[in-house]
């Protein structure tokens, strides 16, 4: 039963906790993307629902998996629930990602990792032997083993993995890490089939409740609708399903290919050099309840290593369609 507590009791509780040396405010989990953490005041906080949206092929899974990796590499825990790839694919992505961290310019690529793990005629060889010839792979394996117990990879089913199952998955991690859902529109709902708007409304509200009930950030990837997959810039309003996505989210990060997001005059005057814009993804902090929305950051794609350059920078060029979501 919900109890209405007087503010005086809550103040007394805060005073006692702080006096006893207990941290009353939740410590944020850094995303590991340097300029993004600055914009978010240190990272993601307990109880927050974080939406990561964008068109297909922009690296939403890469971004979210790298974020989860960064949290566990910093000592936290994470559950990565993926409706798009199984654990084997995610493991290969993580191996390439860690090889890239170990050897930023020359680390093993995702293709090389995948090829090394093919059965072929090399039965009897373990992971270490199969990957030994790849640059950065030994360091990658060592790193994965160092945090392997704190990162849980789960293959979701659009028919059976719903919010109640998600609650059971993350119960052991309450307050100690993050949950990533890849992606929101695939989460199943109970009962007979309903419209996508109704399903998304139900799922978004449930994920926000999970974030608050388990005192952890929930990062949910979102697919864009048809209007958000054109030549223009994908915004929060273009996410598939209900407007509840925009209103329930505490933080909304929109990913766009810089080529499609930058103002046309930059493309015209850059000449042959305009092609470099394809190497970058713009990450717009479109909604931020605890800070300033509308900041445009950019991160270089390192997709051959299944990652982004985590350092990034603020976008210097003018972008098209600078409207942001406001409540």
């Amino acid at each position: 039963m919900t109890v209405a507590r007087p503010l005086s009791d809550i103040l007394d509780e805060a005073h006692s906790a702080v006096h006893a040396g207990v941290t009353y405010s939740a410590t944020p989990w850094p995303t590991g993307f340097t300029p993004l953490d600055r914009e978010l005041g240190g990272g993601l906080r307990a109880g927050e629902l974080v939406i990561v949206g964008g068109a297909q092929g922009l690296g939403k899974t890469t971004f979210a998996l790298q974020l989860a990796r960064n949290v566990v590499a910093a000592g936290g825990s994470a559950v990565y629930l993926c409706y798009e790839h199984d654990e084997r694919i995610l493991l290969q992505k993580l191996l390439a990602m860690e090889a890239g961290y170990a050897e930023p310019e020359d680390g093993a690529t995702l293709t090389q990792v995948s090829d090394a793990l093919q059965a072929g005629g090399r039965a009897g060889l373990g992971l270490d032997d199969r990957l030994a010839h790849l640059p950065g792979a030994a360091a990658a394996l060592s790193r994965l083993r160092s945090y392997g117990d704190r990162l849980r990879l789960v293959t979701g089913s659009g028919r059976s993995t719903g919010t109640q199952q998600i609650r059971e998955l993350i119960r052991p991690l309450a307050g100690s890490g993050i949950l990533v859902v890849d992606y929101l529109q695939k989460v199943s709902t109970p009962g007979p089939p309903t419209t996508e708007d109704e399903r998304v409304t139900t799922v978004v509200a449930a994920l926000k409740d999970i974030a608050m009930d388990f005192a952890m950030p929930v990062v949910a990837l979102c697919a864009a609708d048809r209007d958000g997959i054109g030549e223009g810039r994908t915004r929060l309003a273009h996410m598939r399903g209900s407007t509840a996505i925009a209103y329930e989210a505490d933080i909304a990060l929109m990913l766009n290919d810089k080529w499609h997001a930058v103002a046309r005059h930059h493309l015209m005057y850059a000449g042959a050099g305009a092609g470099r814009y394809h190497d970058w993804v713009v990450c717009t902090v479109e909604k931020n309840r605890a800070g300033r929305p509308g900041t445009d950051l950019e991160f270089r794609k390192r997709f051959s290593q299944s990652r982004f350059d985590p350092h990034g920078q603020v976008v210097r060029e003018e972008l098209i369609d600078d409207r942001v979501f406001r409540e």
Side-chain angles (χ1 to χ4, degrees):
M1 178 180 175
T2 303
V3 178
R5 299 176 62 198
L7 177 59
S8 56
D9 286 359
I10 298 171
L11 281 170
D12 288 343
E13 179 183 276
H15 172 77
S16 299
V18 172
H19 187 267
V22 177
T23 302
Y24 193 73
S25 177
T27 302
W29 289 110
T31 68
F33 294 95
T34 308
L36 180 59
D37 285 327
R38 285 198 297 266
E39 290 298 318
L40 300 180
L44 309 180
R45 289 172 171 77
E48 289 182 335
L49 175 60
V50 182
I51 296 297
V52 178
Q56 75 276 12
L58 282 174
K60 295 189 296 296
T61 293
T62 297
F63 182 87
L65 186 61
Q66 189 171 355
L67 191 158
R69 174 265 176 207
N70 292 342
V71 167
V72 297
S77 300
V79 170
Y80 195 96
L81 171 59
C82 189
Y83 292 81
E84 295 286 277
H85 308 289
D86 65 23
E87 293 97 332
R88 291 173 299 174
I89 297 299
L90 296 177
L91 174 60
Q92 290 174 36
K93 288 177 176 289
L94 285 166
L95 282 166
M97 186 184 300
E98 287 293 355
Y101 272 98
E103 300 280 350
E105 298 301 325
D106 303 314
T109 67
L110 180 59
T111 299
Q112 289 173 325
V113 169
S114 178
D115 289 346
L117 298 184
Q118 294 293 322
R122 295 173 291 172
L125 295 180
L127 279 176
D128 297 83
D129 292 328
R130 284 175 179 262
L131 300 174
H133 66 289
L134 299 181
L141 276 170
S142 176
R143 192 64 169 154
L144 261 62
R145 285 168 175 148
S146 73
Y147 61 65
D149 289 342
R150 300 193 305 278
L151 177 56
R152 304 185 183 194
L153 306 178
V154 183
T155 303
S157 165
R159 294 183 298 274
S160 59
T161 310
T163 53
Q164 189 54 48
Q165 287 75 24
I166 293 173
R167 282 181 167 271
E168 297 308 314
L169 282 173
I170 65 169
R171 196 174 297 279
L173 273 66
S176 65
I178 70 167
L179 164 68
V180 179
V181 178
D182 181 6
Y183 60 94
L184 185 151
Q185 285 89 351
K186 285 277 193 175
V187 179
S188 67
T189 52
T194 58
T195 67
E196 184 168 59
D197 279 13
E198 292 171 334
R199 288 192 296 102
V200 167
T201 298
T202 299
V203 170
V204 169
L207 291 179
K208 176 60 181 175
D209 286 343
I210 287 172
M212 296 184 68
D213 292 347
F214 291 93
M216 62 195 305
V218 173
V219 179
L221 276 60
C222 274
D225 62 20
R226 187 175 302 173
D227 292 335
I229 310 179
E231 289 294 313
R233 189 175 173 191
T234 303
R235 308 311 302 245
L236 185 54
H238 293 137
M239 296 302 96
R240 247 176 52 205
S242 167
T243 55
I245 294 173
Y247 285 96
E248 291 281 5
D250 297 289
I251 296 170
L253 307 175
M254 293 293 110
L255 303 185
N256 282 276
D257 190 297
K258 189 173 180 179
W259 174 271
H260 294 305
V262 74
R264 299 299 102 179
H265 61 267
H266 291 297
L267 299 179
M268 291 190 302
Y269 292 114
R276 69 182 185 276
Y277 293 134
H278 283 299
D279 298 333
W280 295 80
V281 160
V282 173
C283 175
T284 300
V285 184
E286 188 162 336
K287 185 178 180 184
N288 184 7
R289 287 196 198 275
R292 179 184 60 178
T295 304
D296 297 308
L297 309 171
E298 60 183 6
F299 298 95
R300 184 183 290 275
K301 303 173 186 176
R302 302 287 190 186
F303 286 176
S304 65
Q305 297 176 337
S306 196
R307 68 187 184 94
F308 289 95
D309 183 334
H311 301 294
Q313 59 195 23
V314 175
V315 177
R316 298 182 179 89
E317 294 84 359
E318 179 185 354
L319 301 180
I320 60 174
D321 186 13
D322 286 327
R323 291 171 294 173
V324 297
F325 176 83
R326 296 187 184 280
E327 294 179 285

